[in-house]
Each structure stands twice: as structure tokens, then as C-alpha cells.
Amino acid sequence: MNEIIRFALLGLGVGALYAFASQGLIVIYRGTGVLNFSLGATAIAGVYMQWELQYEQGWPFLAAALVGIALSALLGVLTHWVIMRPLRRASTLIRVIATLGVLVTIQAGVVIRYGSNARQVDSWLPTDRVTLWSDVSITADRLILLAISSVSAALLWLLFRSSQFGLQTEAVSESERSASAVGISVNRVAVLNWALGSAIAAAAGILVIPIITLQPTAMTSLVLAALAAALVGDFRSFPVATATGLALGIGQTLVGRYADQPGLGPSLPFLLIIVFLVFRGRSLPQRDHFLEELPKIGNGRMSWDWMVFGSGVIVFLMLTKQAKWIDALTVSLCVAIILLSIVVLTGYAGQLSLAQYSIAGFGAYVAGRLVAVFEIPFLLGMAAGVLAAVPLGIVFGLPAVRTRGINLAIVTLGLGTTIELMLFRNREYTGGVQGTQVGNPTIFGYDIGSITHPERYGIFVLIMALITVVIVANVRRGRSGRRLIAVRTNERAAAALGIDVMVAKLFAFSFASAIAALGGILLAFRLSSISYQSFSSFTSITYVGIALVGGVGYLLGAFVGSTMATAGFTQEVLESTWDGVGRWIQLISGIAILLIVLQNKDGVVSEWAEGYKVLKRAKKWGRPYFIRLGDVADTDTEHHANVPPRHLVADELTVQYGAVTAVDRVSFQLAPGRVTGLIGPNGAGKTSLIDALSGFTSASGRVLLDDHDLSSASPTKRARAGVARSFQSLELFEDSTVFENISVAADPQDFRSYLRDLVWPVNPPFPPEVVRAIREFQLDHDLHRDVRDLSYGKRRLLAIARAVAMHPSVLLLDEPAAGLSSRESAELGRVVRRLADEWGMAILVVEHDMNFVMEVCDDVIVLDFGRLIASGSPDEIRTNPAVVAAYLGDIDYEEAAELQAAAVPGGGS
């Protein structure tokens, strides 16, 4: 027992670093809403400065430490002011990548100045052994670190709980706009928190580095592991995070001492991250950043002439240049394949994974071990490695069902790091000191080894890259691509159109994993001996950044970004121009990532694409892109068949949010061919009722479609059953065209499309009912236009047309006339009437425009405080005293005046 206690106490050193780092992460997150992946790099810069001043310049320890801490605080302030402040309206994806860019930049700068060799640093804390009892003793520095981390947690708790600064930080964390409205400087709060969080991490590094040795990546990996402690503390509680950090350090030491599995101890924090985020049932609290903008995406159309030309140039270079140039091109092509997996996963599906290079390594591991141990042919081993990555991708994708954004990035980082620590660094599994000996790859006896015949291997990799890009382009243009983009843009809207969001995400992860594995296999087999330790999580982070530089939503972006990879084409060009430039590549990559996120988050290729569009519009190059309805539909066949007639019945529906009852035992029925209006004062529960009918909020009671009980059905199943809806906030797929928005709704939601699109994307003509919907809403001349280019009125019509394109029996419209002019509102009213009279739909309309409701609807139901207070014809509602009283009691006086005037002939407001 005493032995266990001794080893547990040894873990207090690393545990203290986890505790300090988690405190720094929480401080920055509470003040800015940014999860700072660069904190470790910021801290290690200060630690190295302290080391240089003390050991190289002869400064006293305390003075050197203060300068080092000040440097880290300054870097934190600059990170906010120069990088994060301009990105306050950017998407979570872009802000996370920005911090990764800072990480790459600072860490590369440290390596350039100080080198990458580990250094042993003497501790300034006393290291005398203190006997606790019997033969249980501990060095004094561990006890001091325990005391300092505990005192730090207590002081931070008091600071954020009681001081004016802490109260202002709390206000900013609740709502930046509200805090600004009461005179709080959001930027001042953010700057102070960045400085404080960075200073804490630097101080922690200076205190703990003597225990873990000084090297550029030391703090980065440990701070990433400290995310586990911050997560358990919910990014708010300093005492809980500190206790968890200390416990993690103790747990790591014990697992490392008593577990037989190598790498399990260092993986413990990442395993905790996975378990905590996936199974706790709620996401990391995120700041409400308004007007988030995602990177643009390409349309997947390929220019075959340019592709043939580019391939010809590469083949020519490989046949005529020296081996070093061929290898640089080969590396770039291998990396391009891996980056294409990021295009699929992050660009198309919107899922941020920080483990794609780890997955690439897993594919290489399977292929390499099969070839080396079982001596199977290279092609068969390559196929096995690609297939083996598919179930791994599904495992990585399962957390995406419950987490997204920052949360998903953390989980994938944890999974990837666990694979690296437990598999890639375990020599028992990877062939020992010499690595996995695979020899030269051959194809049907034909030697294509990169060492003996670099041009053959390079051309083979080029062929694999071309096949991969064609497959990815097929997916982008097919049904599966439209589903992925719908999920990327708006999961609620995607589910409302019948898309199975979980299946779409799992397809994206499995498909992207297969692509990454292919790239990893080709990269690994360049050498006759494979060392899997090169497949690190840090490289996964770098690759996400360079994918963004090229254009994370574009096929060509993967090839542009790949040239910046280590040992890639750009490095060879620079080294041929300037000697020794290779060690600057990481710094150049980091700076490029930061410049792109600041100047053009859509990437280099996006600029090229926009310029090409301008040339086409000016008719100076190519033809303008235009979609005619006759090209995508059979417009000759007239079709006026009604939708299947079905009744929707709400029976005692109740919706509660905690102690608040938003909808209280409401019952009514929607009949085919009739329009029912749902009105009520603000906050009456109208949208909550539509959410309950469509499955987007849990409710008691029953929802029946004829005799089919939908009460426990998901939004996807309700949509497929024939219940469609629009949203008050439109929730269109902004990254797509009008044609693609309607196609998503009209596409059959079959699973086979995911497989068929890999080979041949099928886009059958629109059926007659969809053509009818497009013409009904006058969108036939706008099919080629991007949604973001439409007027607000057109966007409103598109939102409804998209729902109508599903040919539903029941249509739920949430404030369809909001923001429309009187003329547009009147025209919309006529369209809604035709949907009921000529199509036979049962329609529910939530609307504040009383003229619209009274003129269009056959029946009207009225809610007040969640209760049904009246129902009947528009004439009956006009004269209902309870309705007039409810509206007169609401703050919306204009609406109340309209109803009062309608109820009392000749009356006014």
C-alpha cells in the first residue's frame, strides 16, 4: 500500500501542471469564449525566455521568470488583439483553426531559436525529501506545487466571484452584446483574461519544467491533456478543475507503474475527454457568436482539360527531374489525398476532426504490418488498410452524433492522440527499433519502389490522387454531397427535410477515413522501413491549417495546401533557392494559416474561383453558369395530382422547459384542403407548438397522422411520413444554390445514394410535383443563383418552396410573411390558398399579420400563455372577447389594435 502511495505522490508534479494549465484555459474561455489550443505554445515561449535569461545571460531566477511570464502574457494579448478580435464573427471552425495557427507559429519560432533537443533544468524549488510516515516520503517541490496550485485556484475563484473584473467577465460570458450595452468594454475584459490565462500557464511551466524536461512540445502536449481537467470543471470551476488535474497526474503515474499496456498512462487524460464529452449528455458551453460565417465550398464540377494539363506537367517533371524533386512532388500528392479527407469531413460536412493524420497512420499500420508480417501483395495490403480505416472512421464519427464544433475537435484529438501513444509509439506493435520492413512495393511483379524507381512510384501516387479527387467530386455533385452540405449548414433544417443526420455524419467520417488511410499508406510506403511515430497528432493539427490555406471547401484547395507540407514541393523550392530554409517551413505554414484566416478564410482557391466567375460573367472566359428548369426537369408533362390526404391531430400536447410550461394541453386537428391559422401574443407558445408537432422539442400528449402515432418519432421520420415545415428564421442552406436547396428536399432519402455516388452520381430530373412547386413560387429563373444573393422576399419563398417540394400531406409554416411587403404578402397568401385548394395540403400557419390570417385561413386557433383560449372561423375569432383581451394585454399594440378594430365595427386603436 505504501508503494502505491509513493507512486501516487510522484504524480503531483505533472498533476500540478495540469491544474495550472486548466486554470489558464478556463480564464481565457470565460473571458472570450475561445478554447485556446495555443496556450501551451504561448507558455513554452515564456519558459524558454526565462531559461535563456537565467542560464545564458546570468539573470537571477526571479527576474528571469517575471520577464518570461510577461512575454507569455504579451503573446496572449497579441493573440487576442491581432488574431481573435477580428474573427469575432467567424465560425467556431475558423476560430479554432486560428488558435491552431498560433500554436504552429509560436512553436515553430521556439524550435528555430532554441532547437528541438530536450534540456534538463534544475529546479529552483527545494528537492529535499520529506517523510510523511513510515517509509512514505515525497520531495518538497511536489508539496509546494500542490500548495501553489491550490492557492491559485482559491484566488481565481475569489477574483471571478467577488471582484468587479470577475463580475464583468461573467457578464461578457453571458452576452457580449448585453455587456456592451451597459458600458462594459468587451475587448478590455478579453485582453485582461488572455494576459492572465497566458501568464498562469507560463508560471506553471517555469515551476514544473524541471520535472518533465524542457523541450518545445512539452507544454503543448500537456496543456492539450489539461483540457480534460477544464472539461470536468465545465470551463467555469477553478477548484474542480484543479482537483481533477491533480488526480489525473496521480492516475497517470499509477497506471504507468502498474498497467502492462504501454502508452496507457499518457493517454489517460484523453480517454477522460472522450468519456466525458460523449457520455455526459451535453456540450461544452459555447459563446453566442452572432453572424457566424463558414468557409465557402466549391461546386464539385471538374475541368477535365485543366486536370489533364496539370497531370501532364507533373508526369513531365517526374520523368525529367532529379529524385529529390520527384520525392517532393510525391509527398505533396500523398498529403493532398489526406487533405481531401479534410475537404470531405470539414469542408462538406462541417465536422472538425483533429485526427486525420492519425487515421492515415492507422491505415499505413494495417497495410504495412500485413505486407511485412504476412507478405501479402502491396495492392492487397493497400486495399486492406483503406477498408480497415472505415470502421475506425465510424468509431471516430460516433461522438459527432452528440457533440460538434469545439467539442468534436477535442474528442477527435483525444482519440487520435490515444492511437499515437498506445499504438504508434509501442515498438512491440510496430516492428521494434528498425520499424516495419516493407521493402519495395510491386504491382504484379513490376517494381515501383520509390527508392529504386522514384518516377514510377510518383506516377502511381498521381494516379491514386486523380482517382480520389474524381470520387470526392462525384460525392460533392451527388445526393450524398447535398446531404452533407445540408448537415454542415443547418442540422435542424436537414432533419426537417427527412435527412438522417447521424447517417450523414457517419458516412462523412468513414469516407474521409478511407481517403486519409490511402494517403497515409502511399506516404509510408515511400520508404522500405516504416516508422509510425511520425504520424503525430500535431501533424493532424498542421494539416487542418494548410487545408484551410488552400481552401477547405475546394478540391483544388487540397493540392494547393499540400505543397506546404513538410518535405513537400514548397520546401524543396525554397531549399533550392536558400540554404537551410527547411527548418523555417513550419513557421511559414503557421504564418500562412494566420494570414488566411484573417484575410480570406475561404482559402487561396476561393479567390481563383471568384476571379474565374467574374471572367465568365464578363464573357471573357468560358460560359456563365446557368441552370434552366428544362435542363433539370421534365417540363412537358403536366402533373396536378393532389398530395395524399391526411389529418394531423394534436391531442393534449404539453411542452415544458424546466418549470415553465410553454404549451399546456393543446388539442386541435388539421384537415386536408384547409388552412388553419395559429395566432397569439408574443410568448404564447406558437413556435414551441410547431416544434412539438415536427419533433424538434419533447412533448407529452400525442401527435397522430391519421391513425399513425408520431409522438415518439424523430423529426426525420415525421418529415418522411409527410409532415413538412418552414422555420421562422428561414434556415436555408446558405452555401448552396437554389437548385441544390430544392434538390435536397426532392431527393429520395435512400442509403444507396451514399455508395452509388462514389462511382456515378445520379441526379434524375425533378418530378412534376417539384416543377409545379418551383413554378408556383416563381423560382424557375433563379435555380443557378446562390442563396446568399437572393432578396429577402425570394429567400422567404424559397424556404416554403423547399418544404413544398417534399410533396407533404401536412405543411407547417412559421411566420411565412414576416418581413414581406404588402404586395409580397398578398401574393404569398394566394399561393398558400392554392396549396390547400389545388394540392389538398393540410396547412398550419403561425403569423402575426392579422390581415394575412383572416383573409387566407379557414380556421383560426388562438394561444395565450400556452393554452388554447379560442378556435373557430376568422369571423368568430374577430368578435371573441377572450382573444381581444389577450391581445390588448400584450405589448404588441399594433397587433392588438388590428384585432380590436376588426372586432368592433368602425372602431380604431
Side-chain angles (χ1 to χ4, degrees), residues 498-521:
I499 296 173
D500 192 320
V501 174
M502 181 184 72
V503 171
K505 288 183 177 182
L506 293 181
F507 167 76
F509 270 93
S510 57
F511 180 42
S513 296
I515 296 172
L518 176 61
I521 293 167

Side-chain angles (χ1 to χ4, degrees), residues 568-582:
F569 187 72
T570 298
Q571 179 173 335
E572 186 59 42
V573 170
L574 293 175
E575 286 186 341
S576 298
T577 308
W578 297 284
D579 291 335
V581 78

